Amino acid sequence: MNGLIRIRPDVRDATDRGQPVVALESTLFVHGLPPPMNLEVATEIERIVRDEGGVPATIGLFRGQIVVGLTSKEIEQLSTGADVPKVSVRDLPIALARGSDGATTVASTSVLAVRAGIPIFATGGLGGVHRGAADSWDESADLVTLSRTPITVVCAGVKSILDVAATLERLESLSVSVVGFRTSRFPGFYLADSGFDLDWSVSNEEEVAAIMAVRVALAAESALVVANPIPAEKELDRGLHDRVLEEALAAASRTGISGKAVTPFVLDHFHRATEDRSLRVNMDIIYNNARLAARIARAHAGQRAAAGE
Ligand code: PSU
Ligand code: MN
């Protein structure tokens, strides 16, 4: 990996010393949120992690190099850059070989975080099984990647634009562990509750850290998803949500949008059709997850120190 990966010195230092580090993805702000507030969000997530005593490591590709811990200047360039490709795991070698910039997804960010020795990652919502996938076969590479990447991901479930029931079935088949944080229902991204039950619920950060320790002892190969719902008083109006979702999906199929363009298209439609109310909720979700991930990272670091590791 000589020259192919650059780890920001404070990130490397913190991982070496067993201090709390939180990985963050770049597709979320490059393709999931509109400029100029995408830069504001990318900056604010890092501030929240720091406020909680953690070191933020936003991951992306910059000029043909994997960067674990982008600088604020690099984050600014990616969030304002035209045509920054969305890079999942299969795109990594191609984008890197051509010296490209790149926005990493949940899948590629998870893989790169693990390579850099970071065990926890915060995002908004995972990719999953799309509605109509039985015909289109559209399932995010996030799922398969999480089945073989030992990371803990804090998210607000999967985007409500997906087939949530099918996604939960796939997470089960793929042996991805899922716990609800202070809930026994799977969150619905913009909504606190997707309507689906979870088998396991945890009540605090220490409990998640304890699960992470057992995962290390078991040499777990798959991911742990910590599903963290948005507080009910901050969720999007349900009527508005259901109406706009129908519209957005119809617009996507009418315009013939497919493949990796679907998620950014539908998110953008949502933000415009709800006059940015969904955007506000999206931001709250991300901040909420970054805060929890930093607290879990701190609990994890504390437990490791106490165990003399
Ligand atoms: N959730 C969001 N905004 C996003 C994404 C998820 O709230 O932008 C991104 C993540 O990077 C996720 C990707 O990994 O969408 C999934 O895309 P696809 O369905 O094409 O795999
Ligand atoms: Mn897809």
Side-chain angles (χ1 to χ4, degrees):
M1 300 271 275
N2 230 346
L4 210 50
I5 183 162
R6 165 160 54 88
I7 302 179
R8 212 177 56 221
D10 61 318
V11 171
R12 165 151 297 164
D13 195 53
T15 51
D16 286 350
R17 292 166 185 249
Q19 289 165 349
V21 179
V22 175
L24 301 163
E25 60 151 314
S26 40
T27 293
L28 174 144
F29 65 86
V30 176
H31 294 286
L33 298 168
M37 53 82 61
N38 61 345
L39 174 57
E40 185 194 314
V41 172
T43 310
E44 179 66 9
I45 315 175
E46 293 210 331
R47 198 190 60 73
I48 289 172
V49 171
R50 285 208 169 87
D51 262 16
E52 293 292 336
V55 177
T58 303
I59 296 179
L61 307 190
F62 197 77
R63 308 215 167 123
Q65 207 176 25
I66 295 161
V67 184
V68 177
L70 290 158
T71 63
S72 20
K73 186 123 204 106
E74 289 164 345
I75 289 177
E76 184 176 342
Q77 291 199 31
L78 291 182
S79 61
T80 53
D83 305 324
V84 175
K86 175 173 161 183
V87 175
S88 194
V89 179
R90 68 172 187 164
D91 309 304
L92 276 173
I94 308 169
L96 289 168
R98 77 171 49 168
S100 173
D101 289 347
T104 50
T105 63
V106 168
S108 49
T109 304
S110 299
V111 166
L112 297 172
V114 168
R115 294 271 171 95
I118 305 172
I120 186 157
F121 165 34
T123 184
L126 304 179
V129 180
H130 283 256
R131 295 173 188 218
D135 296 318
S136 69
W137 293 77
D138 190 352
E139 172 184 318
S140 176
D142 290 355
L143 296 184
V144 169
T145 304
L146 291 179
S147 76
R148 49 171 191 242
T149 309
I151 190 133
T152 295
V153 192
V154 180
C155 64
V158 296
K159 277 154 296 183
S160 45
I161 61 173
L162 300 171
D163 184 334
V164 178
T167 304
L168 284 168
E169 291 294 346
R170 289 290 287 151
L171 287 168
E172 181 181 0
S173 320
L174 292 164
S175 298
V176 175
S177 306
V178 183
V179 295
F181 193 80
R182 298 191 177 131
T183 180
S184 53
R185 303 275 263 181
F186 195 57
F189 196 67
Y190 294 125
L191 307 174
D193 179 352
S194 69
F196 295 92
D197 287 328
L198 288 173
D199 292 337
W200 302 95
S201 160
V202 291
S203 40
N204 55 49
E205 295 81 1
E206 295 291 336
E207 232 181 297
V208 180
I211 298 170
M212 290 170 72
V214 176
R215 283 165 47 78
V216 172
L218 289 175
E221 290 174 356
S222 63
L224 166 67
V225 171
V226 178
N228 184 33
I230 180 138
E233 68 275 11
K234 286 190 167 174
E235 73 176 6
L236 194 63
D237 178 83
R238 279 176 186 256
L240 177 68
H241 174 272
D242 294 349
R243 185 167 55 71
V244 171
L245 181 55
E246 288 307 314
E247 274 170 32
L249 295 171
S253 84
R254 215 174 33 243
T255 22
I257 298 280
S258 67
K260 66 182 188 182
V262 171
T263 301
F265 177 89
V266 175
L267 288 177
D268 179 60
H269 186 103
F270 238 95
H271 299 329
R272 281 183 294 113
T274 62
E275 289 163 343
D276 288 351
R277 267 175 287 181
S278 62
L279 196 55
R280 183 67 248 168
V281 179
N282 206 336
M283 289 162 68
D284 286 337
I285 287 168
I286 296 167
Y287 299 158
N288 213 27
N289 293 342
R291 192 172 305 112
L292 178 59
R295 290 178 182 171
I296 294 170
R298 220 169 51 203
H300 176 65
Q303 288 186 12
R304 285 186 59 189
E309 285 169 30

